[in-house]
Amino acid sequence: MTDAIAAEWHKLRSLRSNAYLLAVSLLAVLGCAGVAYLIGRGFDRQTFEERLGFTGIGAGLGTGLPIAYVVFGTLGALTITAEHATGLIRTSLAAVPRRQVFLFAKVPGLAAVTLVAGQVLAFAMHGAAQAVLGSRADQLLLDGGTLGTSLAEPGVLASVAVSGLSMTAAALVGLGAGAAIRSTPGTLVALVLVFLVLPVAAQALPSPLRAQVGSYLLENLPAQVAGVDGLLPPVAAAALLAGHVAVALAAGATVTALKGRRLRPLLAGAAAVLLMALTAVLPTVLPAAGLSPGVPEGPAVAPASGDAGGAASALAWRPCADKDAPGDLRCASVEVPLDWRKPAGRTITVPVAMLPASGAGRRIGVLFSVPGGPGGSGIDDLKQHHARFAKLRNRFDVVSLAPRNTAVPGGPLPYACLSTGPWITLPGDRAEWAELARANREHAERCRAADPELFDHMDSASVARDIEAVRVALGEPRLSFLANSYGGHPAEAYARLFPARVRAMVLDGAADHQEPVAATEPALYARLERQLVRFAAWCRADTACALHGRDVAGVWRRLVTAADRKPVPVRGDPSGAAYSGFDLKVAAGPSFVSPGREPEVPRWVQLAAAIEKAEGGDASGFADYVRQATGSAKVPSAAGQNMTHCLDGKGYGSYAAFREALREAERVSPHFAGQRSWWPLACAGWPAPVTNPPAPLPARGLPPLLGVGSWTDHDEVARAVRRVPGSSSLRYEGHGHTLYVSGPGGCVTAHVNRYLISLRLPPPGATCPGAG
C-alpha cells in the first residue's frame, strides 16, 4: 500500500496540468470579490433604512465555493479519468492488481494537496470579500446579522477553515465520481450538476423548502459545522459532509472492482451520481412532504430537554377561529391555578397563541411576547403585528397569551365596570385623601363583587407564573422574552422567580418594577419637562402649531396655574365637567410624550389647539379627544388597570408619602408636578392588599438583558437592566413607545433581532437615528 501511495503521489505532482488547474481556482477569489463589489456599490446608493434590508454575505465565500468545488472536483476526477482516457489504467492495474487499493492509494496525496490549497483559497476568498466591503461589512441588518463578517465574529474562523476542508471533500467526491463514471466529460457534467445546478435549483424552491433542501448541499455545510447558520446542528452537518465523500468513494470503489463489459460500469456510475444527488435532497424532501415517519400534524414544536422532560408540546394547537387572525396563527389554552399559593385549588383558563417558526433557519426555541397595559392581549398583538416577527420566526416560535388581567367584553368580571372608574383629584388635605379613597374603594368593590377571588389575583407575579405554566406545557427548557411597556412587570417578576428559565430578555419601553413608585417619579417628570421643550421647539418652527410665535412653556404654566384656582369648564358637556390644572396635565401628558407620526405630529397639532381653546375658557378640546378614547369627559381611573397596578404596589403607602412625593415633583417639574400622581392615587383605599411589591432583579443567575427605549422611555429601561451585570440599553433618538412591535422598525429591529438570535448586545451608548 505504501508503494502504491508513493506512486500515486509521484503521478499527482509530476503533472503540470494539476498546478494549472489549482491556479484556475483563483477564479473563486475573483468571484467573491466581484460579488462584494457589486453589493458595495448598491449599498452605497441606498438610504440608511434601505441598507438595513440588505442580505448579508456572511464570510463572503458563497459565490466562490461552487467554483472552487468544480475546480477541486475536476482535479480529483482527472487523477483517475485521465488514466482511463489514455489507456494507462491497464499499466497501473498491472502494477497494482488490487483495484480498490489502487483507487484508495490516490486519496492521501490528493487530500494533502487540496487540504493546503483549500485553506489558502478559503482564507483568500474571505479576505478579498471583506477587503472590498471595507467598513460596510459592519453594517447591521434586519435579520440581526451584518453585511459581512470578520474572522473575529463567533464561528467565522471555524466556518472559513471548514470551507477549506470542504474543498478537499469536493476533490474526493470528484475522485469517486471519476472512478464510477470512467469518463472525464461525463464526470465533469456530474460535478457541474451537483455543485452548480442543484444549488441554483434549490434557490428556486418555495420557502421553507428552499432552506431545508439547501441545508444539505455541500456549499452550505461548512457554516453549519461551525454553528454559524443553517438548519442542521454541527454534528449532523459534519456527518453529512463526511457522508458526501463516503458515498462518492464507495460508488467509485464498487465500480472500480467491476471487470469486463462497459455497460455495467456506466450503469453503476449513473446510479452512483443519482445516489449522490439523492443523498443531498431526500432527507429534507421527505419530511417537507410529510412522508417521514413520526412527523406530527400541525405546527412544529421541537422536543426540548431539561426539567421539562424532553417531551413535545402538551398544548392542543389548532387554527385560531378569529377572522382577523393570520392563517398560520395557532391557538390553544392552558389551565392554571387561580391562586398559585393553592395549586390544588380553583383553576382558570388562559388563552395562548403561537406564530410557528418558518423553518428557514435552525430553531432556537420560543420567543415569548409579553403584552403591556396592564390588560392588553398578547394574542391581539400577534394578530395585528405578526409581520414584525418575520425575521425572528426564522429561528423562533413566537408565543404570547391573553393574560388573566386582560379586560375583555364577556369576561368573568363586568367589562363596563373594569373600563370605567372615578375621576382622580389631587387631594389638598387628609379629608380629601379620605374622600378619594372612599370613591376608589366603592367603584372597585362593584367590580370585585362579581368574583372576589379572581379580582384579588390579577397581579403581575401571577401572570409570570402563568407564563411558566405555558413554558412547561410547551416542553421548553428556557424562554426568550420581548416585554412591551407594562409587560416589563410580569417579565421582571418571571426573572425574579425563574431566573434559570430566561435565555434572553428585551425590555422594550418597559415600566420598571424594582423600586417604589415615589423613587421612579423624578425621572418620569424629567422626561415630561424635556418633551415640553421639544413641543415648544416644534411650535416655534411649524405654523401648524396653534401657539406658533408664542412662549409655549409660559402659556402652559399660566393655564394650569389658573385652572387650579378656577377649573376650565367643558362647554356644552351635560356632565358639567371642568378641568383643573391637574386634569389638564393628566389629559395632555400622553400627547406631550407621543406626538404621533413624524413630521406631521398630529397629536401635537391637536394638543396645541386644545391649549389655545382652554386659554379662552373652554376645555372641550381636551375633553373631545379624551372622550374618543374613554367615553368620558375626563380621564377615568379604570378599575381594569388598577386591579393590577394596586396589587403590584404602584400606590402611595399613605397620605404623608403622597405629600412627600408631590413636594419632590414640584422641585423637579414646575410645569407638570402632580401629573404622575394620577396612577398611584387610584390605589388609595384599594380593597385588596399588595401581593407583588417592587423588588430588585437578582444580580446572579440571569443572562445580560437588553433595554430599548425612545427619548421618553430609555432612561427607565436603562435603569432597569443595568442592575443585571453585562446588560446594555439602546436609545432611539426619536419619539415612540414599544418600538419593536409598533415602532419605526429598522435599526431598533436589527439590534433586537441580533440580541435574541445570537445573544450579542449593542455596545454601551448605542443609539438608533430617529425618523427622518
Side-chain angles (χ1 to χ4, degrees):
M1 184 66 175
T2 303
D3 292 339
I5 292 174
E8 293 302 328
W9 170 245
H10 178 73
K11 293 179 190 176
L12 186 65
R13 66 185 179 85
S14 63
L15 291 176
R16 292 183 182 178
S17 58
N18 289 341
Y20 297 151
L21 194 56
L22 287 174
V24 171
S25 67
L26 293 175
L27 289 173
V29 178
L30 296 177
C32 293
V35 169
Y37 173 75
L38 294 175
I39 289 175
R41 287 196 62 184
F43 178 87
D44 291 339
R45 295 172 180 171
Q46 305 301 312
T47 65
F48 175 78
E49 293 297 326
E50 289 171 335
R51 290 175 179 179
L52 291 170
F54 268 60
T55 300
I57 63 172
L61 279 62
T63 304
L65 276 178
I67 299 173
Y69 289 158
V70 171
V71 173
F72 277 66
T74 301
L75 176 65
L78 287 176
T79 59
I80 191 165
T81 59
E83 295 195 53
H84 282 286
T86 60
L88 290 176
I89 188 70
R90 298 185 185 89
T91 303
S92 297
L93 290 177
V96 186
R98 296 175 62 184
R99 292 174 173 246
Q100 291 181 336
V101 171
F102 161 71
L103 174 63
F104 286 106
K106 295 178 179 291
V107 171
L110 181 63
V113 170
T114 55
L115 273 172
V116 175
Q119 293 301 318
V120 172
L121 186 61
F123 281 94
M125 291 158 60
H126 170 78
Q130 300 306 305
V132 171
L133 284 180
S135 60
R136 309 181 194 93
D138 296 328
Q139 168 67 48
L140 188 62
L141 306 176
L142 285 177
D143 62 4
T146 50
L147 194 61
T149 52
S150 71
L151 294 177
E153 296 282 326
V156 176
L157 178 61
S159 177
V160 175
V162 176
S163 295
L165 181 64
S166 72
M167 296 180 202
T168 299
L172 296 178
V173 167
L175 173 63
I181 299 175
R182 300 183 179 181
S183 163
T184 299
T187 305
L188 290 179
V189 169
L191 294 176
V192 169
L193 173 67
V194 172
F195 294 143
L196 295 179
V197 177
L198 279 179
V200 173
Q203 289 300 310
L205 295 172
S207 183
L209 191 59
R210 180 191 309 121
Q212 293 170 340
V213 172
S215 67
Y216 284 82
L217 300 180
L218 189 63
E219 65 181 42
N220 295 320
L221 293 178
Q224 297 179 96
V225 171
V228 174
D229 198 7
L231 288 167
L232 300 176
V235 173
L240 190 58
L241 180 61
H244 279 78
V245 176
V247 168
L249 290 178
T254 301
V255 176
T256 298
L258 297 175
K259 300 178 181 179
R261 292 171 293 179
R262 295 181 178 178
L263 180 60
R264 285 187 296 172
L266 289 176
L267 291 175
V273 174
L274 180 61
L275 180 61
M276 289 164 59
L278 291 178
T279 300
V281 299
L282 272 182
T284 50
V285 171
L286 291 178
L291 301 177
S292 178
V295 177
E297 295 183 0
V301 182
S305 59
D307 291 352
S313 172
L315 297 175
W317 295 109
R318 62 189 182 281
C320 296
D322 300 353
K323 294 181 180 179
D324 59 341
D328 57 350
L329 187 69
R330 296 293 181 264
C331 287
S333 61
V334 62
E335 293 291 320
V336 299
L338 187 151
D339 183 351
W340 277 99
R341 295 170 301 179
K342 302 174 182 177
R346 177 184 168 190
T347 63
I348 57 174
T349 300
V350 175
V352 184
M354 175 175 68
L355 290 168
S358 66
R362 187 165 71 250
R363 182 182 179 276
I364 294 173
V366 165
L367 171 67
F368 206 101
S369 179
V370 188
S377 168
I379 296 176
D380 288 344
D381 287 347
L382 295 190
K383 291 176 186 175
Q384 297 169 18
H385 305 295
H386 57 93
R388 290 297 183 108
F389 296 100
K391 297 294 184 183
L392 286 177
R393 289 181 64 190
N394 290 338
R395 308 299 299 274
F396 293 94
D397 295 323
V398 181
V399 175
S400 193
L401 77 170
R404 61 170 63 199
N405 57 11
T406 303
V408 294
L413 298 172
Y415 178 72
C417 180
L418 295 177
S419 60
T420 60
W423 292 342
I424 300 297
T425 57
L426 207 61
D429 53 34
R430 292 185 181 276
E432 291 181 1
W433 168 274
E435 175 56 28
L436 177 64
R438 185 202 60 77
N440 288 341
R441 185 183 303 108
E442 181 182 352
H443 183 82
E445 289 288 9
R446 287 201 299 271
C447 296
R448 186 175 182 270
D451 193 333
E453 187 181 14
L454 178 61
F455 189 89
D456 291 350
H457 290 88
M458 294 296 193
D459 59 284
S460 293
S462 292
V463 175
R465 293 185 182 278
D466 295 345
I467 293 173
E468 171 64 1
V470 175
R471 181 199 67 79
V472 172
L474 287 169
E476 291 291 325
R478 294 188 298 169
L479 298 175
S480 299
F481 287 90
L482 175 64
N484 305 288
S485 191
Y486 200 87
H489 283 50
E492 290 181 9
Y494 190 96
R496 286 191 290 267
L497 292 166
F498 312 106
R501 299 303 184 190
V502 179
R503 173 187 170 272
M505 182 175 287
V506 179
L507 300 180
D508 183 0
D512 186 11
H513 192 229
Q514 300 182 54
E515 296 179 296
V517 64
T520 64
E521 283 185 350
L524 300 177
Y525 279 119
R527 79 176 185 179
L528 284 170
E529 292 290 336
R530 290 193 296 268
Q531 285 301 99
L532 177 59
V533 172
R534 295 185 178 107
F535 175 68
W538 167 75
C539 277
R540 285 194 300 272
D542 198 329
T543 55
C545 176
L547 306 176
H548 181 67
R550 301 180 63 187
D551 174 13
V552 173
V555 168
W556 174 250
R557 186 169 56 252
R558 289 190 295 272
L559 174 62
V560 297
T561 300
D564 275 332
R565 289 195 300 266
K566 182 181 179 181
V568 182
V570 179
R571 292 181 182 171
D573 188 80
S575 68
Y579 273 63
S580 66
F582 172 70
D583 294 328
L584 292 171
K585 294 172 187 177
V586 171
S591 294
F592 272 117
V593 170
S594 300
R597 183 183 61 253
E598 297 179 78
E600 296 86 357
V601 289
R603 296 190 71 181
W604 275 359
V605 173
Q606 185 183 50
L607 175 61
I611 292 172
E612 182 184 47
K613 197 170 186 179
E615 273 192 300
D618 182 7
S620 61
F622 290 97
D624 287 346
Y625 72 71
V626 169
R627 188 179 290 106
Q628 288 174 7
T630 68
S632 173
K634 293 201 296 185
V635 182
S637 179
Q641 290 191 331
N642 294 334
M643 65 184 179
T644 298
H645 280 157
C646 301
L647 298 180
D648 283 348
K650 303 296 283 187
Y652 298 119
S654 64
Y655 174 71
F658 157 65
R659 293 303 303 178
E660 178 60 29
L662 186 59
R663 283 191 292 270
E664 178 64 13
E666 289 168 347
R667 184 187 67 81
V668 172
S669 178
H671 297 96
F672 295 98
Q675 191 266 354
R676 297 298 309 177
S677 296
W678 184 85
W679 286 270
L681 283 174
C683 295
W686 198 255
V690 173
T691 54
N692 180 41
L697 292 176
R700 296 182 180 180
L702 283 173
L705 312 183
L706 173 61
V708 177
S710 64
W711 278 332
T712 51
D713 292 337
H714 175 263
D715 290 352
E716 186 171 8
V717 296
R719 186 175 63 249
V721 302
R722 73 165 60 105
R723 298 184 179 97
V724 179
S727 298
S728 182
S729 63
L730 177 70
R731 178 186 176 100
Y732 173 68
E733 300 292 351
H735 302 286
H737 185 54
T738 59
L739 299 171
Y740 190 92
V741 172
S742 57
C747 174
V748 171
T749 301
H751 276 289
V752 172
N753 287 350
R754 182 180 180 84
Y755 165 67
L756 289 172
I757 292 170
S758 66
L759 302 180
R760 300 189 65 190
L761 289 160
T767 62
C768 282

